[in-house]
Amino acid sequence: MRLRALLDTEALGLQLLGGEDELDRPVRGVMTTDLRDPSRYLSGGELVLTGLAWRRDASDTEPFVRILANAGVAGLAAGEAELGAVPDDLIESCLRHRLPLFAVDETVAFATITEHVVRQVSGERAGDLAAVVDRHRRLMTSGPAGGGPEVVLDLLTSDLDLRAWVLSPTGRQIAGAGEPLPPRAGAELAGKHLAASRTGRPGPHRAEVGGAVYSLFPVRHTGRAAADRDRDVRESVLSEWVLAVAADAGDWPAARLDLLQGVTQLIAVERDRRDAARSVRRRLAQEVLELVQTGAAPAEISARLRVAAPVLLPGLGTAPHWQVVVARVEWTHGTGLPGGPAAQALLEEILVDPAVAGPESADRIAVAHTGEEAIALVPLTALPRADAPGDPESAAPEGAGAPEGQDAALHADALLDSVRAPLSAGLADDGRLTLGVSAAVHSAEGLRGALEEARHARRVAAARPGPVCAAGHHELASHVLLLPFVPDDVRRAFTARLLDPLRDYDRRHRAELIETLEAFLDCDGSWTRCAARLHLHVNTLRYRVGRIEQLTGRDLSRLEDKLDFFLALRMS
């Protein structure tokens, strides 16, 4: 029941003295007290009845009201039988603490109010329990076989007024009832779920996003409860779905929590069904990759791709181009956990996102895992040649990526745009996810080279800091490929020899020589452009460059010395 209902009951004779904006608070019980500190007997949600015997003077009022407000009581009803009118200091204190205050007429006994509240609350609880049992029965007969998780979520909304969504580990919305989650909320909720699950605490987990409170229920695979208990939580949490409910389940009765656990079991059935459908594509990818890695003839690989075409290429009328994506999950601290299955699950999730690989990607993703890495064969619709953009039948040059303006090809940075935050929360300091993306190739002959290209790109990503990193094929034709593989001691010695004299000088004189050097190289040694960028006179710029050359013994008019400085800045 709500506080407002008390005012609508004339027999109670209550007069509202303050807190009109708070009358929608739920009342979960009633308590009568004249203790100065009743906090030990309060659990929140009570209507507190008092005869004001605790009040000796106005100084007692503020501590008493503060205790009630901190305990989260629904409201305070003060009797007028002992002191007459309710004191002004009590009214003012309740207003400050946003605590609804009622005056109880001297003709109304506290027992009358207590009996009314208990009767209403008990009736609601009995009715709620009966309704929950009935809804549980209906939910169990309306599972995925009856229309998928949306049917279950619709029942939660219509019968329990609970808005809920099913999210992937990266925050992608898999199902929902009514309005979708606000932008970015899914990723933030997934990150909070992953971070909470890593601790091993059982769900539901409470999360606040955008000023709203959610309860997060993990969706486990059906039939795997015993197996999951034996798995390291860091491995299993990266592949589980989550049911996000727009409510705080902290004070829910056991029957309602049990209902939501039943909902997660129904959703898990759908999850297992989708995994079973994906297993065919996984097996086909495994077969193709074994042929590629063992050096099979292109004709044999092409034949296997033709067999796989009805599964991997539904609805495509032309042979696609292909890209290869390689992913690896590496656990830290010597856990000994296998990285291949976790990498496979994450790579499938990343590539199935319509925002990344297109709206039909879920039916085309084929990911295998070998050892510690996962490998995806990603079919792309036919791409025109770079030199014949108007001819859709033309094939792109072997090893070339999508021409300018094409959106079909995957790009390394785009793969991680929406998933970096939640996956970073899930991995934290326990592991890293690194991805490498090849260029698009148009035939079976190019798949072996694309696989090696993706593996090289992944190694470039692995050399970067951060728990989630990716690199693309375009970075393999740049100094970016070489720098990460320079041994750390060589990098430190090289940069220290060139840059330490400049850093020391900058510290002593605030001369900004490092900043000047970076700008000078970025402007290709142009004195006028560099001076304009730094807002300096050209003579001042010449003085600074001269000081750099004097301190390092190098000549910035020589290409070799410019290159050395450029590499030192990139490695520092």
Side-chain angles (χ1 to χ4, degrees), residues 398-450:
E398 189 69 33
E404 188 70 26
Q406 288 293 322
D407 295 325
L410 299 175
H411 299 278
D413 292 338
L415 286 178
L416 299 182
D417 280 348
S418 61
V419 304
R420 191 185 306 275
L423 293 184
S424 296
L427 290 164
D429 297 328
D430 292 327
R432 302 186 68 219
L433 170 68
T434 51
L435 283 79
V437 183
S438 78
V441 295
H442 70 272
S443 66
E445 289 90 338
L447 282 179
R448 187 172 185 181

Side-chain angles (χ1 to χ4, degrees), residues 64-316:
F64 180 80
V65 174
R66 186 186 305 115
I67 288 170
L68 299 187
N70 291 340
V73 304
L76 173 64
E80 297 179 332
E82 187 72 24
L83 300 179
V86 176
D88 290 340
D89 54 88
L90 181 58
I91 298 174
E92 293 170 0
S93 183
C94 287
L95 287 173
R96 282 196 298 274
H97 290 278
R98 302 178 65 84
L99 181 65
L101 175 64
F102 303 89
V104 182
D105 189 90
E106 60 181 355
T107 62
V108 179
F110 281 176
T112 302
I113 300 174
T114 300
E115 181 182 354
H116 176 82
V117 172
V118 169
R119 185 168 59 248
Q120 293 295 320
V121 172
S122 298
E124 287 177 1
R125 286 177 178 168
D128 186 60
L129 179 58
V132 164
V133 172
D134 179 63
R135 287 160 186 146
H136 195 283
R137 176 187 58 77
R138 292 168 58 196
L139 288 171
M140 295 306 290
T141 59
S142 303
E150 287 82 2
V151 173
V152 180
L153 300 184
D154 283 338
L155 281 175
L156 286 179
T157 301
S158 61
D159 285 18
L160 289 180
D161 196 26
L162 290 176
R163 293 181 300 130
W165 303 265
V166 180
L167 306 176
S168 74
T170 63
R172 177 176 59 89
Q173 183 171 316
I174 297 167
E179 293 294 322
L181 282 168
R184 296 289 183 181
E188 193 169 348
L189 286 172
K192 289 179 180 292
H193 170 70
L194 290 171
S197 297
R198 284 180 59 256
T199 67
R201 290 187 288 110
H205 306 297
R206 186 180 186 276
E208 290 189 31
V209 173
V213 176
Y214 299 84
S215 294
L216 307 176
F217 295 79
V219 177
R220 314 284 187 193
H221 286 282
T222 59
R224 297 189 187 177
D228 282 345
R229 282 196 295 270
D230 297 330
R231 296 172 67 194
D232 192 295
V233 66
R234 289 166 294 188
E235 180 185 2
S236 60
V237 73
L238 291 174
S239 60
E240 70 183 21
W241 289 358
V242 59
L243 175 66
V245 181
D248 188 347
D251 58 353
W252 282 5
R256 181 164 288 203
L257 287 172
D258 182 59
L259 172 67
L260 266 294
Q261 294 297 343
V263 170
T264 65
Q265 293 170 17
L266 291 173
I267 296 170
V269 172
E270 173 68 9
R271 171 71 188 273
D272 290 344
R273 186 192 67 78
R274 296 189 186 188
D275 277 355
R278 192 173 289 173
S279 64
V280 177
R281 294 192 292 273
R282 288 176 174 175
R283 186 179 69 251
L284 290 171
Q286 197 79 38
E287 293 172 357
V288 172
L289 286 170
E290 286 177 1
L291 292 174
V292 171
Q293 294 187 106
T294 55
E300 187 177 357
I301 299 173
S302 296
R304 174 53 60 185
L305 288 175
R306 283 194 296 273
V307 171
V311 176
L312 299 183
L313 315 173
L316 289 185

